[in-house]
Amino acid sequence: MTVAPDTNPASQLSSEMFESPTAYAAALEAFLSTDERATPYLGYRPHSLEDSAAHLTGLQALLFDTGWSRLGWPESAGGLGGDPRFRAAMFQTLWNLDIPIPEPFTTLEILVPVLLVFAPHLSDALLPGLLRGDDKWAQAFSEPDAGSDLASLRTKMEPDGDGFRLSGQKVWSTFGHLSQRSVLLARSGGPGHKGLTMVLVDLDQPGIEVRPIRAEDGENHFSEIFLDNAWVPADRVIGTLGQGWAIAMYMLQWERGAWGWLQQGRFHQRLQQAVELGTPNPEFAQQLGHAYALAAALRLTTKQTVERLAREEQLGPEVSVDKLLLIDAELATWDAIRAYLGPRFEVDDTLQWLRHEYLFSRAAPIYGGSQEIQRTLVAQRVLGMPRD
Amino acid sequence: MMDNDTLDMLRTSLRHVLTEATNVPLADRLGELGWDEVVADDPVTALHTLFTLKGDTVSSADALGPRLAAALADALGDPQLTTATVGMESPFGPSSLTDGSLTVDAVVFTPPSDNPVVVRVDGEHLAVVVGSALTCTRLTTTDGELAQFRLTGTVPASQVQCIEGATASIAWSAMVTHGRWLLACELVGIAQHVTDSAAQYTGERIQYGKPIGTFQALQHRIATAHVLVVGAARLAEHAGHSGDEWSALVAKAVAGQAAETACTQAQQCYGAIGFTWEHEFHHYLRRTYVLDRLLGDWRSLEREIGNELMNSRHVPKIGML
Amino acid sequence: MDLSYSPEAEAYRAKVRAFLAANLPADWQGLGALAGDEAEEWADRWRDVMAKNGFLGITWPKEYGGQGLTKLEQVVLGEELARARVPQYRAVDTTNIKMLGNTLVKWGTEEQKQKYLPRILSGEDTWVQGYSEPEAGSDLASVHLKAELDGDEWVLNGQKIWTSRGMEGTAIFLLARTDKTAAKHRGITFMLCSIPTPGLEVRPIRTLTGVEEFCEVFLTDVRIPVANVVGPVNEGWKVANSLLGLERGEEAATNPIYFKAELERVIQLARDKGRINDPIIRDRLAWCHMKVEMMRFLGYRILTAVLRDGALGPEASISKLFWSEYHQVLADLAMELLGPEATVREGRRPYKHYRADEPGAANSSNSWIDVFLMNARSGTVYAGTSEIQRNILAENILGLPKEPQTNS
Ligand SMILES: Cc1cc2nc3c(=O)[nH]c(=O)nc-3n(C[C@H](O)[C@H](O)[C@H](O)COP(=O)(O)OP(=O)(O)OC[C@H]3O[C@@H](n4cnc5c(N)ncnc54)[C@H](O)[C@@H]3O)c2cc1C
Ligand SMILES: Cc1cc2nc3c(=O)[nH]c(=O)nc-3n(C[C@H](O)[C@H](O)[C@H](O)COP(=O)(O)OP(=O)(O)OC[C@H]3O[C@@H](n4cnc5c(N)ncnc54)[C@H](O)[C@@H]3O)c2cc1C
């Protein structure tokens, strides 16, 4: 483990915290529950997505300035070194204290590892701002006609001087309208996987229009992005031309693995909230027990994945198991909570946020590769069942 | 800790011991392997490996009985009980203790001889009697191969050693925890075997001119089972290392469910042959069914978990980074 | 949906009731109340009583021993027998009367009808079904049993498997490949073969529950006269499929009655086990009740369509999925209620290996263990697996595009 000397005067970190994620988590928990700068985030309930994004940007800056969120990332990303278990421990600690995880952290988990490997030339300049929350990035892969079958995407990428021009349409970009930049997958060559390239594009430019899309819960969770001759300089290519698909696949091990750990923390926290709010009733015992058992299975499975990532093992198709367990655990958790809290869940004004999370949980079998696609991957690539 | 080579060798010899056709009791065959030393050296790995393989091979040898006795002896600090036979819940009724005598009704996997038999009378009372004082009858079970016996009899109080109060309840629950962990391992072994075999079968069985494994309906069935099996395997591993009651409870709940799911999905993939003795699957289905019901079936364990969460208003986390 | 029966049908109902009142013991509990062998014997005897009184094959023309009645009367008969807790016939009569008898009525030559139908009703002949083969299960149209014409005989070579109650068969109806060059559905012929016949060997297969319920049948140079072909040569697929319509209407009416009786047994079991006030058990029992009621109304719709249009409506393809998947949940629940008892076999075992155990069965572990292991679990496999039913439903009823993989 390479750990940078922490010269930041505001840092809360001491050397023993660098030793183990457990020691780190305990110290972080102490900091967050006592330091008054953290108070506004404890048990924070957003009124809207935009409100929450703005508010939690402050938390992101606080965690960066005090050093906490930098542990677990390499120096080139603005971090202090240490492996991904420290990030995982931070997420767990935030959930333990009922502090919502800023959405950009989840994006970071997916995008930063990719940039570090495939675009190291961009990391020094761009990643610290991303980590601190000064800058927000989106992920623009899906298109109206390319969802599960992502490799069929059509957004065009053509050389122009010392850069490229992009034309086409993207959709379902989480937080797209709140982001300054987006990682984007475009077609620079012929059909199929091999014609795809990944780039980092600035969204605030004349050739780009970003329109928010309202999700089921009434919030603008994602956006569609229209590109009309938008500009991207050559040094914003991630990896090389035609490497886009391979990079997207690399990304998935983080999206499916690390993401699962982050989410299990939330499920445990929400179950905790439900048992605090509800009145014990044996009628719901099995449903709650079932949800908990799945959340526990998810926890241990993704714990192992995080540990493997920490050992820099290359993960294979088996991470789809993490995603599938996540889906089962997420749906079961919210079904159980809703059943247990009964009518109160449906009408209590103070539980609006919980209802939103419930509605959003229904997206679990879709995002990040649908349940059907994951099952097929597990069957064919993990269990060796035949392909047609 | 065992290194990987040692573990591989252990697996090979255990597989042999579990599958050889013989009437020699498992304990004796394990003895030849130097099993006691292996267990003393790294009990978690050794027992995890034995029980997972036992599930994998649907071995009917009684490995659980001696472990329950060992756990009880350990918890009570009474080495004599290491050779005991522990009576499990009988479907025919409880054992009872009155002033004058003990009436036993319990189920065991190996008939006792003149060794001690421990039965639970209620949460606060365990009774120890000598095996030869009881009548032992073989039961016709759903499994058919895994031997189970019913112990009955009435023994005068003078011949009964009674363990009472917290000592009894703590020891019994330590034993239950140990047993649940081992059963979780065994169920995971079954579930993995069933899932993998079904995946393989669907690659070989041709209908409509192609392997039936190419049909998404079947791919998704097996994948669904596999996901739960992986979760169950992680929980069983963790329960072994942590040794705590809660982890064993959750591990057994998920393992029972995983094995049942694996069997249900696999059976549908097998079609008619899965309903016969023409294929090995039937052993696994019935075994799952019986093991799931020992020390709490998965549904009742899930309820136990849910009730505990609601009543304690606390949601514990299993496993730290 | 029309829930009323015609006056003729109601008159027939009265007749059935009178017959039952006169012939059933006063304290009749149902076949389930009798122990294994006793139940077999009783079912055999009862079948004779039914036959003598003209209650078997009632829709068949009178000249072949039937009553010349309509499907509606058949349904009424089924309902009344189910309500009275008596079987329509022996277990093996499902293939004997329901399958082969009805097929012959529709497709048989005059000679075949005269020869076989009366013998089926009298019980002299017992037909078992020889469709499936080791390599032809779901893809039944790929049957391989080779049939070659030699003079006025077909010579058969091959194997059949999973023949239910094959050991009881005195004859078997077969699907054989008579034209290897034609498209697979077009080269199949429906044939009749008595047992024993030189070159035909029947071997039992042990099922999950340890009993010998299935058989495999080996055919080596078995010679069958050309007169034993049912329907046109090479059109056996059509002959075999035409049965479905005949069966489903009746089943739709009787299934809910049997399943209702079975559910009542489970409710009693919940009471016996002191679980009747358990909220989770109550939820699940209520769920089962809803399903049985839905099955009843689904049944009425199927029946209405069959009686009105003479054809099955879209509901029919749902019904198989519906009852078979329901039944697995019910069986799980029963086993859960039995608790530790479910691991030890006690009491009598079910009389048949399909659907519910007979009414009147005690809530013994053996009854439920077998229902759970065999009857309920196999429901999603025999008579068209759930996967195949869903494909049919999606493609033929909902108009979803065909699965590219099954086009072969
Ligand atoms: C909450 C949320 C956030 C998202 N965020 C982003 C983001 O930030 N950036 C981004 O680029 N995208 C994002 N997405 C889009 C997401 O990646 C796609 O929704 C997903 O890939 C599925 O594509 P689709 O919606 O077009 O559905 P389709 O691909 O049209 O699928 C519809 C249905 O068909 C099934 N299906 C498709 N192919 C098969 C097959 N071969 N076998 C069996 N079933 C199949 C699917 O499983 C699904 O049930 C987000 C989606 C959601 C719900
Ligand atoms: C209790 C019982 C009684 C029976 N009695 C008789 C009898 O008396 N006479 C007789 O001839 N037969 C009998 N059968 C056999 C029965 O008809 C077959 O089991 C059935 O047709 C399925 O064939 P299979 O068992 O070969 O399974 P397979 O066809 O091998 O099917 C295995 C799995 O593959 C799936 N599958 C196959 N094709 C597809 C597809 N296109 N898409 C998706 N999934 C697919 C199936 O759904 C199943 O899950 C009986 C079966 C049972 C269980």
Side-chain angles (χ1 to χ4, degrees):
Chain A
M1 180 167 62
T2 54
V3 173
D6 185 13
T7 52
N8 176 0
S11 174
Q12 299 286 324
L13 301 177
S14 67
S15 59
E16 83 240 22
M17 294 172 203
F18 287 78
E19 299 297 317
S20 89
T22 317
Y24 160 84
L28 173 59
E29 184 153 342
F31 167 73
L32 290 169
S33 43
T34 53
D35 195 296
E36 62 182 22
R37 286 171 295 174
T39 315
Y41 308 108
L42 298 170
Y44 166 67
R45 303 282 172 250
H47 299 297
S48 73
L49 188 108
E50 284 79 5
D51 162 64
S52 139
H55 188 72
L56 296 178
T57 302
L59 172 63
Q60 224 184 314
L62 173 65
L63 290 170
F64 185 91
D65 295 341
T66 47
W68 296 105
S69 65
R70 300 175 66 196
L71 190 46
W73 290 113
E75 288 166 67
S76 51
L80 300 170
D83 65 57
R85 288 175 306 150
F86 289 92
R87 277 135 57 193
M90 178 180 78
F91 295 138
Q92 182 64 65
T93 308
L94 293 174
W95 287 128
N96 287 352
L97 295 168
D98 192 12
I99 298 175
I101 310 268
E103 180 73 24
F105 274 145
T106 67
T107 322
L108 276 165
E109 280 300 317
I110 298 163
L111 298 182
V112 174
V114 168
L115 256 80
L116 287 169
V117 174
F118 294 98
H121 62 287
L122 296 177
S123 33
D124 281 354
L126 295 176
L127 290 182
L130 186 63
L131 203 51
R132 190 173 186 278
D134 303 337
D135 210 15
K136 294 196 176 64
W137 297 6
Q139 182 185 340
F141 289 179
S142 307
E143 296 182 4
D145 293 323
S148 299
D149 185 13
L150 188 60
S152 70
L153 66 83
R154 289 203 296 246
T155 293
K156 252 193 325 199
M157 172 172 171
E158 287 174 330
D160 180 13
D162 54 356
F164 299 89
R165 294 281 170 191
L166 299 167
S167 292
Q169 186 191 340
K170 293 290 175 182
V171 73
W172 318 128
S173 281
T174 299
F175 270 48
H177 69 298
L178 299 172
S179 302
Q180 288 82 39
R181 287 180 240 281
S182 183
V183 170
L184 184 146
L185 207 52
R187 187 163 301 285
S188 59
H193 302 164
K194 297 198 181 85
L196 300 178
T197 297
M198 197 177 283
V199 293
L200 177 65
V201 59
D202 292 336
L203 294 175
D204 47 353
Q205 59 163 304
I208 291 185
E209 190 191 340
V210 182
R211 277 194 220 143
I213 299 175
R214 191 183 288 209
E216 199 173 16
D217 62 3
E219 301 290 346
N220 296 327
H221 277 281
F222 24 52
S223 299
E224 45 189 349
I225 302 177
F226 298 89
L227 303 123
D228 179 11
N229 258 337
W231 169 248
V232 58
D235 70 352
R236 288 290 193 82
V237 171
I238 300 171
T240 56
L241 288 181
Q243 206 187 357
W245 185 257
I247 301 172
M249 294 301 105
Y250 176 86
M251 189 178 270
L252 290 177
Q253 58 181 325
W254 299 89
E255 171 144 15
R256 288 171 192 160
W259 169 261
W261 168 267
L262 190 154
Q263 290 298 329
Q264 64 74 27
R266 187 163 67 96
F267 306 156
H268 279 87
Q269 206 288 326
R270 295 308 186 231
L271 285 169
Q272 175 64 42
Q273 223 136 17
V275 299
E276 282 168 24
L277 284 168
T279 313
N281 178 345
E283 188 170 352
F284 304 107
Q286 198 184 341
Q287 222 180 340
L288 281 166
H290 180 66
Y292 175 83
L294 287 175
L298 174 68
R299 180 178 173 89
L300 289 177
T301 305
T302 55
K303 171 176 176 286
Q304 191 183 64
T305 302
V306 168
E307 285 161 357
R308 289 181 65 198
L309 288 168
R311 290 195 298 269
E312 298 186 10
E313 281 178 39
Q314 178 75 40
L315 306 187
E318 69 280 3
V319 284
S320 286
V321 169
D322 297 43
K323 174 70 206 277
L324 285 166
L325 260 179
L326 167 87
I327 295 169
D328 291 345
E330 177 149 15
L331 295 176
T333 297
W334 288 100
D335 285 343
I337 291 174
R338 184 175 177 189
Y340 184 43
L341 297 183
R344 193 169 163 197
F345 181 91
E346 314 295 338
V347 299
D348 188 332
D349 276 345
T350 65
L351 297 183
Q352 177 73 2
W353 63 278
L354 208 56
R355 289 194 286 279
H356 278 202
E357 283 194 35
Y358 171 84
L359 286 173
F360 207 71
S361 71
R362 306 295 108 174
I366 300 293
Y367 66 72
S370 75
Q371 189 172 36
E372 286 78 11
I373 299 294
Q374 307 297 330
R375 284 185 177 152
T376 302
L377 283 172
V378 167
Q380 295 179 353
R381 309 265 305 274
V382 179
L383 298 167
M385 290 175 75
R387 296 178 195 219
D388 200 26
Chain B
M1 280 293 284
M2 235 177 269
D3 61 43
N4 283 341
D5 288 346
T6 318
L7 190 58
D8 277 348
M9 269 162 50
L10 180 67
R11 282 208 186 98
T12 311
S13 27
L14 283 178
R15 186 176 287 280
H16 177 74
V17 165
L18 288 167
T19 51
E20 73 190 328
T22 166
N23 288 327
V24 182
L26 180 67
D28 297 350
R29 285 179 281 147
L30 287 174
E32 285 166 28
L33 278 185
W35 179 243
D36 290 345
E37 251 169 69
V38 181
V39 174
D41 196 37
D42 184 351
V44 174
T45 310
L47 293 171
H48 182 274
T49 308
L50 173 66
F51 279 82
T52 309
L53 276 171
K54 186 167 161 358
D56 184 35
T57 57
V58 269
S59 155
S60 301
D62 178 17
L64 187 64
R67 288 309 314 167
L68 295 178
L72 207 55
D74 204 31
L76 290 168
D78 180 353
Q80 288 195 336
L81 288 181
T82 318
T83 61
T85 303
V86 180
M88 315 280 280
E89 184 182 7
S90 160
F92 306 99
S95 298
S96 58
L97 190 60
T98 58
D99 285 346
S101 60
L102 168 74
T103 304
V104 170
D105 201 330
V107 171
V108 299
F109 307 106
T110 302
S113 47
D114 53 3
N115 60 321
V117 170
V118 186
V119 295
R120 189 165 89 129
V121 176
D122 56 44
E124 307 258 275
H125 295 87
L126 304 180
V128 187
V129 282
V130 59
S132 48
L134 300 169
T135 311
C136 181
T137 34
R138 180 155 185 165
L139 294 167
T140 309
T141 62
T142 305
D143 182 286
E145 286 152 288
L146 183 75
Q148 283 179 278
F149 303 84
R150 182 181 179 191
L151 288 184
T152 49
T154 301
V155 185
S158 57
Q159 293 172 27
V160 177
Q161 182 203 336
C162 205
I163 302 162
E164 290 177 347
T167 315
S169 62
I170 291 169
W172 190 262
S173 74
M175 181 206 77
V176 168
T177 291
H178 189 66
R180 281 179 177 165
W181 164 51
L182 297 173
L183 286 164
C185 294
E186 191 167 350
L187 285 160
V188 165
I190 290 181
Q192 281 167 339
H193 183 98
V194 166
T195 311
D196 294 345
S197 303
Q200 196 190 337
Y201 177 83
T202 63
E204 291 157 5
R205 168 82 176 155
I206 310 281
Q207 286 291 278
Y208 300 99
K210 50 181 60 106
I212 55 173
T214 57
F215 298 124
Q216 198 171 70
L218 301 194
Q219 293 193 348
H220 288 192
R221 280 184 179 277
I222 305 286
T224 303
H226 177 71
V227 166
L228 207 50
V229 175
V230 171
R234 293 296 91 80
L235 282 160
E237 278 157 26
H238 179 82
H241 290 292
S242 75
D244 72 280
E245 193 177 333
W246 181 255
S247 300
L249 168 68
V250 179
K252 170 97 188 347
V254 178
Q257 197 177 351
E260 187 177 305
T261 304
C263 287
T264 301
Q265 304 296 8
Q267 192 169 31
Q268 185 67 19
C269 294
Y270 284 123
I273 203 170
F275 291 89
T276 69
W277 287 39
E278 305 285 294
H279 190 282
E280 60 163 28
F281 168 76
H282 70 103
H283 298 290
Y284 290 87
L285 173 64
R286 281 178 283 124
R287 182 61 51 82
T288 292
Y289 197 72
V290 170
L291 295 184
D292 179 47
R293 304 218 147 211
L294 295 174
L295 303 178
D297 65 274
W298 67 264
R299 285 197 180 85
S300 51
L301 296 185
E302 278 189 349
R303 284 169 171 224
E304 201 174 321
I305 295 168
N307 280 320
E308 179 61 26
L309 297 177
M310 287 188 288
N311 295 328
S312 69
R313 295 185 188 272
H314 172 61
V315 177
K317 293 183 195 75
I318 297 181
M320 296 298 157
L321 279 167
Chain C
M1 187 159 81
D2 184 359
L3 299 183
S4 62
Y5 289 71
S6 65
E8 293 81 9
E10 291 303 340
Y12 186 69
R13 189 185 302 280
K15 191 178 155 189
V16 177
R17 286 189 178 167
F19 159 73
L20 289 169
N23 287 281
L24 278 179
D27 59 348
W28 178 247
Q29 297 287 308
L31 197 55
L34 305 177
D37 291 349
E38 242 182 293
E40 292 274 350
E41 284 160 25
W42 195 91
D44 288 354
R45 264 185 283 127
W46 176 249
R47 181 200 195 280
D48 290 341
V49 176
M50 292 278 286
K52 293 210 176 75
N53 287 273
F55 288 107
L56 291 183
I58 62 163
T59 60
W60 302 358
K62 290 199 167 136
E63 57 266 44
Y64 312 121
Q67 304 297 318
L69 296 169
T70 70
K71 273 192 208 112
L72 192 54
E73 276 94 8
Q74 179 72 57
V75 166
V76 166
L77 174 64
E79 282 179 351
E80 290 307 314
L81 294 172
R83 267 184 210 127
R85 312 179 142 217
V86 275
Q88 305 205 32
Y89 33 51
R90 298 168 300 166
V92 71
D93 283 317
T94 309
T95 52
N96 189 37
I97 298 181
K98 199 162 152 183
M99 293 188 188
L100 184 70
N102 282 324
T103 303
L104 288 176
V105 170
K106 185 164 169 151
W107 292 93
T109 60
E110 188 51 37
E111 195 196 335
Q112 286 170 341
K113 290 194 242 189
Q114 283 190 9
K115 178 171 173 193
Y116 296 118
L117 291 175
R119 294 169 62 92
I120 288 175
L121 293 184
S122 71
E124 273 164 281
D125 288 351
T126 298
W127 292 85
V128 293
Q129 182 192 24
Y131 284 6
S132 305
E133 295 177 8
E135 309 301 324
S138 297
D139 185 14
L140 184 61
S142 72
V143 285
H144 300 284
L145 174 62
K146 194 164 70 172
E148 285 168 321
L149 199 56
D150 178 22
D152 57 0
E153 284 179 329
W154 288 99
V155 182
L156 305 186
N157 278 288
Q159 187 194 342
K160 292 290 171 183
I161 198 166
W162 318 133
T163 308
S164 294
R165 295 200 170 234
M167 299 310 279
E168 292 174 41
T170 64
I172 183 166
F173 51 102
L174 302 162
L175 290 181
R177 171 84 38 207
T178 39
D179 184 352
K180 274 191 290 200
T181 58
K184 65 179 183 179
H185 298 93
R186 303 252 154 72
I188 299 171
T189 302
F190 193 111
M191 296 183 185
L192 305 175
C193 177
S194 52
I195 302 176
T197 290
L200 184 137
E201 192 194 340
V202 183
R203 278 192 216 149
I205 294 175
R206 197 194 291 205
T207 65
L208 190 52
T209 52
V211 296
E212 288 175 349
E213 154 77 13
F214 286 142
C215 286
E216 50 189 341
V217 179
F218 298 89
L219 300 101
T220 316
D221 291 331
V222 170
R223 304 186 82 87
I224 293 182
V226 288
N228 281 14
V229 166
V230 180
V233 169
N234 290 333
E235 287 193 31
W237 185 252
K238 209 157 126 198
V239 176
N241 270 323
S242 65
L243 255 182
L244 275 180
L246 299 169
E247 282 175 32
R248 290 270 162 89
E250 190 188 325
E251 211 178 79
T254 53
N255 263 345
I257 302 176
Y258 286 114
F259 283 130
K260 173 105 188 168
E262 185 187 48
L263 176 57
E264 276 158 13
R265 280 176 67 211
V266 176
I267 294 172
Q268 187 55 46
L269 185 61
R271 279 206 188 90
D272 296 346
K273 297 286 168 195
R275 300 285 295 277
I276 196 72
N277 290 320
D278 178 328
I280 296 180
I281 298 298
R282 291 170 80 93
D283 273 4
R284 290 170 67 193
L285 287 169
W287 183 93
C288 291
H289 175 72
M290 273 160 46
K291 292 285 160 171
V292 173
E293 287 298 287
M294 284 160 76
M295 226 186 286
R296 189 155 68 88
F297 289 107
L298 195 59
Y300 288 142
R301 294 186 77 119
I302 294 169
L303 210 55
T304 307
V306 172
L307 297 174
R308 191 186 51 213
D309 312 327
L312 289 172
E315 294 83 5
S317 49
I318 304 172
S319 78
K320 165 83 206 300
L321 278 169
F322 201 93
W323 70 252
S324 60
E325 294 183 356
Y326 155 78
H327 200 209
Q328 293 182 348
V329 178
L330 187 276
D332 274 356
L333 176 56
M335 291 296 269
E336 185 184 346
L337 287 169
L338 278 177
E341 252 181 76
T343 60
V344 178
R345 284 184 168 279
E346 290 269 298
R348 90 172 227 311
R349 304 180 72 161
Y351 166 64
K352 62 183 192 321
H353 291 92
Y354 306 94
R355 316 289 156 91
D357 193 359
E358 294 296 329
N363 270 318
S364 70
S365 67
N366 256 337
S367 167
W368 289 116
I369 291 167
D370 283 1
V371 165
F372 168 80
L373 288 175
M374 195 67 200
N375 303 38
R377 282 176 167 261
S378 67
T380 52
V381 171
Y382 65 74
T385 68
S386 287
E387 285 73 21
I388 299 298
Q389 300 296 337
R390 285 202 161 78
N391 284 346
I392 294 172
L393 191 65
E395 292 170 13
N396 299 354
I397 308 297
L398 300 172
L400 267 67
K402 279 212 182 294
E403 219 184 335
Q405 294 175 324
T406 53
N407 280 347
S408 82

